[in-house]
Amino acid sequence: MTAMHIIEELFGLSDISVLVTGGSRGIGSAIAEAFVRAGARVYICSRDAGNCTMIAAELAEFGKCVALPCDLASQGDRKRLVEQLAKYEPSLNVLVNNAGTIWTAPLEEYPESGWDKVFNLNVRGVFFLIKELVPLLSAAASVNNPSRIINVGSIDAFRIAPHESYAYAASKAALHHLTRMLAKRLAVRHITVNVIAPGLYPSKMLAAPSEREAFEALVAPIPLKRLACPSDMAGAAIYLASKAGSYTTGAVLPVDGGLATTL
């Protein structure tokens, strides 16, 4: 067997169905693009319908990618998303829960509305979307080839971040524990549930030359001395979604360059 055959056998994703929430930008877009290029049938959703449609069209140049705009904090939108997806696919192999939001404010000024906004999307929306998609995930699952749920958490779930993002950190810690609970409950249905916990991910502002000193200060505490890049996120997702990751469940996979894992 050649090297390419081994890689395809272990990490191949061709002709599987994948839903990526928050798939129109950042980490979600990087994961969606990798799956499309690998031959999967990919569906992306986000609250911004225009951007979601535009990104899906761009990714469709490499394979199949369909936009399903949705606000996952809304019960009605989640129901419509599941109904729309079921019109395209009789089953779902991989669900990537990437959609999320953050609210940062001093403790004395932290609004209850900001807390609710974060938890409604980062925890409540994730849980109830999983609940609604279990039938489609179960339809694709088997003992040797389970369906996969990949939740995008954060290293802020197990470290104290320098900024006052109370709801975000708490919501990601909740998501990590929810993942382990679901991994136990859904194993009997041959569905694995895991977390990717990203570290610092680049933005256009951080990459700007005028922010060079700030950028160097940002990466200074990271042992590997760089920010995460799209291939880091995509590679972790590919592992968890492929045959190579089929016996992994209930795991939290930090992808942070050692920032939170070597303290």
PDB file of all heavy atoms in Angstrom, residues 51-90:
ATOM      1  N   ASN A  51     -23.172  37.074   3.642  1.00  0.00           N
ATOM      2  CA  ASN A  51     -21.808  36.564   3.718  1.00  0.00           C
ATOM      3  C   ASN A  51     -21.778  35.045   3.606  1.00  0.00           C
ATOM      4  O   ASN A  51     -20.892  34.473   2.964  1.00  0.00           O
ATOM      5  CB  ASN A  51     -21.146  37.008   5.027  1.00  0.00           C
ATOM      6  CG  ASN A  51     -19.664  36.720   5.053  1.00  0.00           C
ATOM      7  OD1 ASN A  51     -18.914  37.187   4.201  1.00  0.00           O
ATOM      8  ND2 ASN A  51     -19.226  35.939   6.030  1.00  0.00           N
ATOM      9  N   CYS A  52     -22.766  34.393   4.212  1.00  0.00           N
ATOM     10  CA  CYS A  52     -22.847  32.934   4.155  1.00  0.00           C
ATOM     11  C   CYS A  52     -22.984  32.464   2.710  1.00  0.00           C
ATOM     12  O   CYS A  52     -22.290  31.539   2.271  1.00  0.00           O
ATOM     13  CB  CYS A  52     -24.037  32.458   4.983  1.00  0.00           C
ATOM     14  SG  CYS A  52     -24.151  30.670   5.193  1.00  0.00           S
ATOM     15  N   THR A  53     -23.851  33.125   1.966  1.00  0.00           N
ATOM     16  CA  THR A  53     -24.062  32.768   0.558  1.00  0.00           C
ATOM     17  C   THR A  53     -22.810  33.034  -0.268  1.00  0.00           C
ATOM     18  O   THR A  53     -22.442  32.230  -1.140  1.00  0.00           O
ATOM     19  CB  THR A  53     -25.253  33.565  -0.009  1.00  0.00           C
ATOM     20  OG1 THR A  53     -26.431  33.260   0.751  1.00  0.00           O
ATOM     21  CG2 THR A  53     -25.490  33.212  -1.469  1.00  0.00           C
ATOM     22  N   MET A  54     -22.138  34.152   0.005  1.00  0.00           N
ATOM     23  CA  MET A  54     -20.928  34.500  -0.744  1.00  0.00           C
ATOM     24  C   MET A  54     -19.812  33.487  -0.498  1.00  0.00           C
ATOM     25  O   MET A  54     -19.163  33.024  -1.444  1.00  0.00           O
ATOM     26  CB  MET A  54     -20.450  35.892  -0.343  1.00  0.00           C
ATOM     27  CG  MET A  54     -19.182  36.351  -1.066  1.00  0.00           C
ATOM     28  SD  MET A  54     -18.589  37.964  -0.478  1.00  0.00           S
ATOM     29  CE  MET A  54     -17.995  37.518   1.168  1.00  0.00           C
ATOM     30  N   ILE A  55     -19.585  33.131   0.756  1.00  0.00           N
ATOM     31  CA  ILE A  55     -18.514  32.188   1.080  1.00  0.00           C
ATOM     32  C   ILE A  55     -18.825  30.809   0.516  1.00  0.00           C
ATOM     33  O   ILE A  55     -17.937  30.122  -0.010  1.00  0.00           O
ATOM     34  CB  ILE A  55     -18.291  32.115   2.604  1.00  0.00           C
ATOM     35  CG1 ILE A  55     -17.819  33.467   3.140  1.00  0.00           C
ATOM     36  CG2 ILE A  55     -17.292  31.021   2.955  1.00  0.00           C
ATOM     37  CD1 ILE A  55     -16.514  33.966   2.522  1.00  0.00           C
ATOM     38  N   ALA A  56     -20.083  30.398   0.596  1.00  0.00           N
ATOM     39  CA  ALA A  56     -20.463  29.090   0.035  1.00  0.00           C
ATOM     40  C   ALA A  56     -20.191  29.054  -1.459  1.00  0.00           C
ATOM     41  O   ALA A  56     -19.721  28.041  -1.998  1.00  0.00           O
ATOM     42  CB  ALA A  56     -21.927  28.795   0.321  1.00  0.00           C
ATOM     43  N   ALA A  57     -20.477  30.147  -2.141  1.00  0.00           N
ATOM     44  CA  ALA A  57     -20.223  30.212  -3.585  1.00  0.00           C
ATOM     45  C   ALA A  57     -18.727  30.126  -3.875  1.00  0.00           C
ATOM     46  O   ALA A  57     -18.303  29.462  -4.832  1.00  0.00           O
ATOM     47  CB  ALA A  57     -20.802  31.500  -4.158  1.00  0.00           C
ATOM     48  N   GLU A  58     -17.907  30.780  -3.054  1.00  0.00           N
ATOM     49  CA  GLU A  58     -16.457  30.717  -3.233  1.00  0.00           C
ATOM     50  C   GLU A  58     -15.944  29.296  -3.006  1.00  0.00           C
ATOM     51  O   GLU A  58     -15.121  28.780  -3.777  1.00  0.00           O
ATOM     52  CB  GLU A  58     -15.771  31.687  -2.273  1.00  0.00           C
ATOM     53  CG  GLU A  58     -16.016  33.162  -2.598  1.00  0.00           C
ATOM     54  CD  GLU A  58     -15.376  34.082  -1.578  1.00  0.00           C
ATOM     55  OE1 GLU A  58     -14.725  33.568  -0.629  1.00  0.00           O
ATOM     56  OE2 GLU A  58     -15.522  35.310  -1.716  1.00  0.00           O
ATOM     57  N   LEU A  59     -16.432  28.650  -1.958  1.00  0.00           N
ATOM     58  CA  LEU A  59     -15.972  27.291  -1.647  1.00  0.00           C
ATOM     59  C   LEU A  59     -16.491  26.282  -2.661  1.00  0.00           C
ATOM     60  O   LEU A  59     -15.858  25.238  -2.879  1.00  0.00           O
ATOM     61  CB  LEU A  59     -16.414  26.903  -0.237  1.00  0.00           C
ATOM     62  CG  LEU A  59     -15.808  27.717   0.916  1.00  0.00           C
ATOM     63  CD1 LEU A  59     -16.285  27.172   2.258  1.00  0.00           C
ATOM     64  CD2 LEU A  59     -14.294  27.710   0.850  1.00  0.00           C
ATOM     65  N   ALA A  60     -17.619  26.570  -3.275  1.00  0.00           N
ATOM     66  CA  ALA A  60     -18.188  25.654  -4.262  1.00  0.00           C
ATOM     67  C   ALA A  60     -17.307  25.511  -5.496  1.00  0.00           C
ATOM     68  O   ALA A  60     -17.500  24.577  -6.289  1.00  0.00           O
ATOM     69  CB  ALA A  60     -19.587  26.122  -4.665  1.00  0.00           C
ATOM     70  N   GLU A  61     -16.347  26.401  -5.646  1.00  0.00           N
ATOM     71  CA  GLU A  61     -15.396  26.269  -6.750  1.00  0.00           C
ATOM     72  C   GLU A  61     -14.506  25.036  -6.556  1.00  0.00           C
ATOM     73  O   GLU A  61     -13.918  24.530  -7.509  1.00  0.00           O
ATOM     74  CB  GLU A  61     -14.526  27.519  -6.846  1.00  0.00           C
ATOM     75  CG  GLU A  61     -15.296  28.782  -7.219  1.00  0.00           C
ATOM     76  CD  GLU A  61     -14.399  29.997  -7.323  1.00  0.00           C
ATOM     77  OE1 GLU A  61     -13.158  29.829  -7.242  1.00  0.00           O
ATOM     78  OE2 GLU A  61     -14.925  31.113  -7.493  1.00  0.00           O
ATOM     79  N   PHE A  62     -14.398  24.553  -5.309  1.00  0.00           N
ATOM     80  CA  PHE A  62     -13.540  23.401  -5.016  1.00  0.00           C
ATOM     81  C   PHE A  62     -14.324  22.106  -4.839  1.00  0.00           C
ATOM     82  O   PHE A  62     -13.733  21.034  -4.706  1.00  0.00           O
ATOM     83  CB  PHE A  62     -12.734  23.666  -3.742  1.00  0.00           C
ATOM     84  CG  PHE A  62     -12.021  24.982  -3.728  1.00  0.00           C
ATOM     85  CD1 PHE A  62     -12.353  25.954  -2.797  1.00  0.00           C
ATOM     86  CD2 PHE A  62     -11.031  25.268  -4.647  1.00  0.00           C
ATOM     87  CE1 PHE A  62     -11.700  27.175  -2.768  1.00  0.00           C
ATOM     88  CE2 PHE A  62     -10.373  26.486  -4.641  1.00  0.00           C
ATOM     89  CZ  PHE A  62     -10.712  27.448  -3.704  1.00  0.00           C
ATOM     90  N   GLY A  63     -15.651  22.193  -4.815  1.00  0.00           N
ATOM     91  CA  GLY A  63     -16.477  21.015  -4.577  1.00  0.00           C
ATOM     92  C   GLY A  63     -17.888  21.452  -4.250  1.00  0.00           C
ATOM     93  O   GLY A  63     -18.355  22.487  -4.726  1.00  0.00           O
ATOM     94  N   LYS A  64     -18.575  20.688  -3.407  1.00  0.00           N
ATOM     95  CA  LYS A  64     -19.951  21.038  -3.058  1.00  0.00           C
ATOM     96  C   LYS A  64     -19.990  21.786  -1.746  1.00  0.00           C
ATOM     97  O   LYS A  64     -19.518  21.307  -0.719  1.00  0.00           O
ATOM     98  CB  LYS A  64     -20.834  19.796  -2.961  1.00  0.00           C
ATOM     99  CG  LYS A  64     -22.276  20.150  -2.591  1.00  0.00           C
ATOM    100  CD  LYS A  64     -23.249  19.006  -2.750  1.00  0.00           C
ATOM    101  CE  LYS A  64     -24.668  19.467  -2.429  1.00  0.00           C
ATOM    102  NZ  LYS A  64     -25.681  18.417  -2.637  1.00  0.00           N
ATOM    103  N   CYS A  65     -20.584  22.978  -1.775  1.00  0.00           N
ATOM    104  CA  CYS A  65     -20.803  23.755  -0.563  1.00  0.00           C
ATOM    105  C   CYS A  65     -22.096  24.537  -0.724  1.00  0.00           C
ATOM    106  O   CYS A  65     -22.276  25.254  -1.717  1.00  0.00           O
ATOM    107  CB  CYS A  65     -19.634  24.704  -0.292  1.00  0.00           C
ATOM    108  SG  CYS A  65     -19.752  25.548   1.319  1.00  0.00           S
ATOM    109  N   VAL A  66     -22.988  24.396   0.242  1.00  0.00           N
ATOM    110  CA  VAL A  66     -24.304  25.015   0.185  1.00  0.00           C
ATOM    111  C   VAL A  66     -24.507  25.890   1.416  1.00  0.00           C
ATOM    112  O   VAL A  66     -24.177  25.491   2.542  1.00  0.00           O
ATOM    113  CB  VAL A  66     -25.413  23.934   0.132  1.00  0.00           C
ATOM    114  CG1 VAL A  66     -26.796  24.574   0.160  1.00  0.00           C
ATOM    115  CG2 VAL A  66     -25.243  23.068  -1.107  1.00  0.00           C
ATOM    116  N   ALA A  67     -25.041  27.092   1.199  1.00  0.00           N
ATOM    117  CA  ALA A  67     -25.316  28.019   2.302  1.00  0.00           C
ATOM    118  C   ALA A  67     -26.703  27.749   2.870  1.00  0.00           C
ATOM    119  O   ALA A  67     -27.687  27.658   2.124  1.00  0.00           O
ATOM    120  CB  ALA A  67     -25.226  29.456   1.813  1.00  0.00           C
ATOM    121  N   LEU A  68     -26.778  27.641   4.194  1.00  0.00           N
ATOM    122  CA  LEU A  68     -28.051  27.507   4.904  1.00  0.00           C
ATOM    123  C   LEU A  68     -28.065  28.538   6.032  1.00  0.00           C
ATOM    124  O   LEU A  68     -27.808  28.208   7.192  1.00  0.00           O
ATOM    125  CB  LEU A  68     -28.213  26.091   5.474  1.00  0.00           C
ATOM    126  CG  LEU A  68     -28.203  24.934   4.479  1.00  0.00           C
ATOM    127  CD1 LEU A  68     -28.250  23.594   5.221  1.00  0.00           C
ATOM    128  CD2 LEU A  68     -29.376  25.040   3.505  1.00  0.00           C
ATOM    129  N   PRO A  69     -28.337  29.810   5.721  1.00  0.00           N
ATOM    130  CA  PRO A  69     -28.285  30.866   6.745  1.00  0.00           C
ATOM    131  C   PRO A  69     -29.190  30.546   7.922  1.00  0.00           C
ATOM    132  O   PRO A  69     -30.314  30.038   7.757  1.00  0.00           O
ATOM    133  CB  PRO A  69     -28.771  32.110   5.986  1.00  0.00           C
ATOM    134  CG  PRO A  69     -28.463  31.818   4.547  1.00  0.00           C
ATOM    135  CD  PRO A  69     -28.691  30.343   4.394  1.00  0.00           C
ATOM    136  N   CYS A  70     -28.686  30.857   9.125  1.00  0.00           N
ATOM    137  CA  CYS A  70     -29.435  30.489  10.328  1.00  0.00           C
ATOM    138  C   CYS A  70     -28.880  31.210  11.545  1.00  0.00           C
ATOM    139  O   CYS A  70     -27.667  31.344  11.690  1.00  0.00           O
ATOM    140  CB  CYS A  70     -29.343  28.973  10.537  1.00  0.00           C
ATOM    141  SG  CYS A  70     -30.048  28.383  12.087  1.00  0.00           S
ATOM    142  N   ASP A  71     -29.773  31.671  12.410  1.00  0.00           N
ATOM    143  CA  ASP A  71     -29.380  32.179  13.719  1.00  0.00           C
ATOM    144  C   ASP A  71     -29.611  31.056  14.721  1.00  0.00           C
ATOM    145  O   ASP A  71     -30.756  30.759  15.086  1.00  0.00           O
ATOM    146  CB  ASP A  71     -30.209  33.403  14.085  1.00  0.00           C
ATOM    147  CG  ASP A  71     -29.876  33.953  15.474  1.00  0.00           C
ATOM    148  OD1 ASP A  71     -28.958  33.412  16.129  1.00  0.00           O
ATOM    149  OD2 ASP A  71     -30.536  34.920  15.895  1.00  0.00           O
ATOM    150  N   LEU A  72     -28.538  30.423  15.151  1.00  0.00           N
ATOM    151  CA  LEU A  72     -28.664  29.232  15.994  1.00  0.00           C
ATOM    152  C   LEU A  72     -29.170  29.534  17.398  1.00  0.00           C
ATOM    153  O   LEU A  72     -29.516  28.616  18.141  1.00  0.00           O
ATOM    154  CB  LEU A  72     -27.320  28.501  16.067  1.00  0.00           C
ATOM    155  CG  LEU A  72     -26.867  27.882  14.748  1.00  0.00           C
ATOM    156  CD1 LEU A  72     -25.469  27.301  14.891  1.00  0.00           C
ATOM    157  CD2 LEU A  72     -27.842  26.817  14.284  1.00  0.00           C
ATOM    158  N   ALA A  73     -29.234  30.810  17.760  1.00  0.00           N
ATOM    159  CA  ALA A  73     -29.814  31.175  19.052  1.00  0.00           C
ATOM    160  C   ALA A  73     -31.339  31.170  18.992  1.00  0.00           C
ATOM    161  O   ALA A  73     -32.004  31.260  20.020  1.00  0.00           O
ATOM    162  CB  ALA A  73     -29.314  32.544  19.494  1.00  0.00           C
ATOM    163  N   SER A  74     -31.882  31.058  17.776  1.00  0.00           N
ATOM    164  CA  SER A  74     -33.331  31.076  17.579  1.00  0.00           C
ATOM    165  C   SER A  74     -33.867  29.667  17.373  1.00  0.00           C
ATOM    166  O   SER A  74     -33.405  28.941  16.490  1.00  0.00           O
ATOM    167  CB  SER A  74     -33.665  31.934  16.351  1.00  0.00           C
ATOM    168  OG  SER A  74     -34.981  31.687  15.889  1.00  0.00           O
ATOM    169  N   GLN A  75     -34.858  29.291  18.165  1.00  0.00           N
ATOM    170  CA  GLN A  75     -35.448  27.960  18.047  1.00  0.00           C
ATOM    171  C   GLN A  75     -36.062  27.752  16.668  1.00  0.00           C
ATOM    172  O   GLN A  75     -35.899  26.694  16.051  1.00  0.00           O
ATOM    173  CB  GLN A  75     -36.520  27.760  19.124  1.00  0.00           C
ATOM    174  CG  GLN A  75     -37.189  26.394  19.078  1.00  0.00           C
ATOM    175  CD  GLN A  75     -38.267  26.247  20.144  1.00  0.00           C
ATOM    176  OE1 GLN A  75     -38.618  27.203  20.836  1.00  0.00           O
ATOM    177  NE2 GLN A  75     -38.799  25.052  20.282  1.00  0.00           N
ATOM    178  N   GLY A  76     -36.754  28.769  16.162  1.00  0.00           N
ATOM    179  CA  GLY A  76     -37.373  28.655  14.862  1.00  0.00           C
ATOM    180  C   GLY A  76     -36.356  28.493  13.749  1.00  0.00           C
ATOM    181  O   GLY A  76     -36.548  27.688  12.825  1.00  0.00           O
ATOM    182  N   ASP A  77     -35.245  29.246  13.831  1.00  0.00           N
ATOM    183  CA  ASP A  77     -34.194  29.134  12.823  1.00  0.00           C
ATOM    184  C   ASP A  77     -33.541  27.759  12.863  1.00  0.00           C
ATOM    185  O   ASP A  77     -33.227  27.178  11.813  1.00  0.00           O
ATOM    186  CB  ASP A  77     -33.134  30.218  13.044  1.00  0.00           C
ATOM    187  CG  ASP A  77     -33.424  31.471  12.236  1.00  0.00           C
ATOM    188  OD1 ASP A  77     -34.613  31.684  11.900  1.00  0.00           O
ATOM    189  OD2 ASP A  77     -32.494  32.228  11.951  1.00  0.00           O
ATOM    190  N   ARG A  78     -33.308  27.229  14.062  1.00  0.00           N
ATOM    191  CA  ARG A  78     -32.702  25.894  14.168  1.00  0.00           C
ATOM    192  C   ARG A  78     -33.603  24.849  13.528  1.00  0.00           C
ATOM    193  O   ARG A  78     -33.127  23.956  12.813  1.00  0.00           O
ATOM    194  CB  ARG A  78     -32.443  25.534  15.633  1.00  0.00           C
ATOM    195  CG  ARG A  78     -31.316  26.300  16.292  1.00  0.00           C
ATOM    196  CD  ARG A  78     -30.920  25.652  17.603  1.00  0.00           C
ATOM    197  NE  ARG A  78     -32.027  25.502  18.532  1.00  0.00           N
ATOM    198  CZ  ARG A  78     -32.390  26.410  19.440  1.00  0.00           C
ATOM    199  NH1 ARG A  78     -31.728  27.560  19.514  1.00  0.00           N
ATOM    200  NH2 ARG A  78     -33.385  26.185  20.260  1.00  0.00           N
ATOM    201  N   LYS A  79     -34.899  24.953  13.770  1.00  0.00           N
ATOM    202  CA  LYS A  79     -35.840  23.992  13.194  1.00  0.00           C
ATOM    203  C   LYS A  79     -35.811  24.071  11.678  1.00  0.00           C
ATOM    204  O   LYS A  79     -35.790  23.038  10.989  1.00  0.00           O
ATOM    205  CB  LYS A  79     -37.250  24.269  13.717  1.00  0.00           C
ATOM    206  CG  LYS A  79     -38.290  23.289  13.196  1.00  0.00           C
ATOM    207  CD  LYS A  79     -39.672  23.579  13.777  1.00  0.00           C
ATOM    208  CE  LYS A  79     -40.705  22.603  13.231  1.00  0.00           C
ATOM    209  NZ  LYS A  79     -42.065  22.890  13.787  1.00  0.00           N
ATOM    210  N   ARG A  80     -35.797  25.295  11.128  1.00  0.00           N
ATOM    211  CA  ARG A  80     -35.751  25.448   9.674  1.00  0.00           C
ATOM    212  C   ARG A  80     -34.447  24.910   9.099  1.00  0.00           C
ATOM    213  O   ARG A  80     -34.431  24.312   8.017  1.00  0.00           O
ATOM    214  CB  ARG A  80     -35.926  26.925   9.307  1.00  0.00           C
ATOM    215  CG  ARG A  80     -37.365  27.404   9.374  1.00  0.00           C
ATOM    216  CD  ARG A  80     -37.510  28.792   8.777  1.00  0.00           C
ATOM    217  NE  ARG A  80     -36.849  29.800   9.602  1.00  0.00           N
ATOM    218  CZ  ARG A  80     -37.421  30.422  10.622  1.00  0.00           C
ATOM    219  NH1 ARG A  80     -38.665  30.134  10.963  1.00  0.00           N
ATOM    220  NH2 ARG A  80     -36.766  31.336  11.307  1.00  0.00           N
ATOM    221  N   LEU A  81     -33.344  25.122   9.824  1.00  0.00           N
ATOM    222  CA  LEU A  81     -32.056  24.609   9.365  1.00  0.00           C
ATOM    223  C   LEU A  81     -32.095  23.093   9.221  1.00  0.00           C
ATOM    224  O   LEU A  81     -31.654  22.538   8.204  1.00  0.00           O
ATOM    225  CB  LEU A  81     -30.948  25.017  10.339  1.00  0.00           C
ATOM    226  CG  LEU A  81     -29.568  24.376  10.112  1.00  0.00           C
ATOM    227  CD1 LEU A  81     -28.995  24.817   8.767  1.00  0.00           C
ATOM    228  CD2 LEU A  81     -28.622  24.728  11.257  1.00  0.00           C
ATOM    229  N   VAL A  82     -32.597  22.410  10.236  1.00  0.00           N
ATOM    230  CA  VAL A  82     -32.663  20.949  10.203  1.00  0.00           C
ATOM    231  C   VAL A  82     -33.574  20.480   9.068  1.00  0.00           C
ATOM    232  O   VAL A  82     -33.251  19.516   8.357  1.00  0.00           O
ATOM    233  CB  VAL A  82     -33.140  20.401  11.562  1.00  0.00           C
ATOM    234  CG1 VAL A  82     -33.354  18.886  11.491  1.00  0.00           C
ATOM    235  CG2 VAL A  82     -32.144  20.746  12.661  1.00  0.00           C
ATOM    236  N   GLU A  83     -34.689  21.175   8.882  1.00  0.00           N
ATOM    237  CA  GLU A  83     -35.606  20.799   7.799  1.00  0.00           C
ATOM    238  C   GLU A  83     -34.964  21.000   6.438  1.00  0.00           C
ATOM    239  O   GLU A  83     -35.112  20.158   5.546  1.00  0.00           O
ATOM    240  CB  GLU A  83     -36.888  21.627   7.913  1.00  0.00           C
ATOM    241  CG  GLU A  83     -37.749  21.264   9.118  1.00  0.00           C
ATOM    242  CD  GLU A  83     -38.932  22.200   9.291  1.00  0.00           C
ATOM    243  OE1 GLU A  83     -38.955  23.256   8.608  1.00  0.00           O
ATOM    244  OE2 GLU A  83     -39.821  21.894  10.107  1.00  0.00           O
ATOM    245  N   GLN A  84     -34.238  22.108   6.264  1.00  0.00           N
ATOM    246  CA  GLN A  84     -33.570  22.366   4.986  1.00  0.00           C
ATOM    247  C   GLN A  84     -32.473  21.345   4.720  1.00  0.00           C
ATOM    248  O   GLN A  84     -32.338  20.838   3.601  1.00  0.00           O
ATOM    249  CB  GLN A  84     -32.981  23.776   4.988  1.00  0.00           C
ATOM    250  CG  GLN A  84     -34.012  24.879   4.898  1.00  0.00           C
ATOM    251  CD  GLN A  84     -33.379  26.252   4.984  1.00  0.00           C
ATOM    252  OE1 GLN A  84     -32.362  26.444   5.644  1.00  0.00           O
ATOM    253  NE2 GLN A  84     -33.974  27.220   4.308  1.00  0.00           N
ATOM    254  N   LEU A  85     -31.705  21.038   5.741  1.00  0.00           N
ATOM    255  CA  LEU A  85     -30.632  20.063   5.576  1.00  0.00           C
ATOM    256  C   LEU A  85     -31.182  18.700   5.183  1.00  0.00           C
ATOM    257  O   LEU A  85     -30.615  18.005   4.326  1.00  0.00           O
ATOM    258  CB  LEU A  85     -29.820  19.964   6.873  1.00  0.00           C
ATOM    259  CG  LEU A  85     -28.640  18.987   6.861  1.00  0.00           C
ATOM    260  CD1 LEU A  85     -27.599  19.408   5.821  1.00  0.00           C
ATOM    261  CD2 LEU A  85     -28.000  18.924   8.251  1.00  0.00           C
ATOM    262  N   ALA A  86     -32.301  18.319   5.805  1.00  0.00           N
ATOM    263  CA  ALA A  86     -32.903  17.010   5.524  1.00  0.00           C
ATOM    264  C   ALA A  86     -33.404  16.908   4.081  1.00  0.00           C
ATOM    265  O   ALA A  86     -33.546  15.799   3.544  1.00  0.00           O
ATOM    266  CB  ALA A  86     -34.045  16.746   6.494  1.00  0.00           C
ATOM    267  N   LYS A  87     -33.662  18.039   3.442  1.00  0.00           N
ATOM    268  CA  LYS A  87     -34.068  18.020   2.036  1.00  0.00           C
ATOM    269  C   LYS A  87     -32.895  17.683   1.118  1.00  0.00           C
ATOM    270  O   LYS A  87     -33.083  17.145   0.027  1.00  0.00           O
ATOM    271  CB  LYS A  87     -34.662  19.368   1.647  1.00  0.00           C
ATOM    272  CG  LYS A  87     -35.996  19.675   2.315  1.00  0.00           C
ATOM    273  CD  LYS A  87     -36.498  21.055   1.917  1.00  0.00           C
ATOM    274  CE  LYS A  87     -37.828  21.364   2.606  1.00  0.00           C
ATOM    275  NZ  LYS A  87     -38.323  22.723   2.262  1.00  0.00           N
ATOM    276  N   TYR A  88     -31.679  18.000   1.592  1.00  0.00           N
ATOM    277  CA  TYR A  88     -30.475  17.702   0.816  1.00  0.00           C
ATOM    278  C   TYR A  88     -29.892  16.331   1.154  1.00  0.00           C
ATOM    279  O   TYR A  88     -29.370  15.643   0.280  1.00  0.00           O
ATOM    280  CB  TYR A  88     -29.397  18.753   1.094  1.00  0.00           C
ATOM    281  CG  TYR A  88     -29.628  20.095   0.474  1.00  0.00           C
ATOM    282  CD1 TYR A  88     -30.164  21.139   1.217  1.00  0.00           C
ATOM    283  CD2 TYR A  88     -29.270  20.352  -0.848  1.00  0.00           C
ATOM    284  CE1 TYR A  88     -30.364  22.401   0.663  1.00  0.00           C
ATOM    285  CE2 TYR A  88     -29.461  21.607  -1.420  1.00  0.00           C
ATOM    286  CZ  TYR A  88     -30.002  22.635  -0.654  1.00  0.00           C
ATOM    287  OH  TYR A  88     -30.190  23.865  -1.209  1.00  0.00           O
ATOM    288  N   GLU A  89     -29.948  15.968   2.439  1.00  0.00           N
ATOM    289  CA  GLU A  89     -29.246  14.770   2.912  1.00  0.00           C
ATOM    290  C   GLU A  89     -30.163  13.901   3.766  1.00  0.00           C
ATOM    291  O   GLU A  89     -30.804  14.402   4.690  1.00  0.00           O
ATOM    292  CB  GLU A  89     -28.022  15.165   3.747  1.00  0.00           C
ATOM    293  CG  GLU A  89     -26.988  16.003   3.018  1.00  0.00           C
ATOM    294  CD  GLU A  89     -26.154  15.198   2.034  1.00  0.00           C
ATOM    295  OE1 GLU A  89     -26.192  13.948   2.110  1.00  0.00           O
ATOM    296  OE2 GLU A  89     -25.462  15.808   1.205  1.00  0.00           O
ATOM    297  N   PRO A  90     -30.203  12.592   3.512  1.00  0.00           N
ATOM    298  CA  PRO A  90     -30.984  11.692   4.365  1.00  0.00           C
ATOM    299  C   PRO A  90     -30.278  11.374   5.677  1.00  0.00           C
ATOM    300  O   PRO A  90     -30.881  10.820   6.601  1.00  0.00           O
ATOM    301  CB  PRO A  90     -31.116  10.432   3.501  1.00  0.00           C
ATOM    302  CG  PRO A  90     -29.871  10.447   2.666  1.00  0.00           C
ATOM    303  CD  PRO A  90     -29.591  11.893   2.379  1.00  0.00           C
TER     304      PRO A  90
END
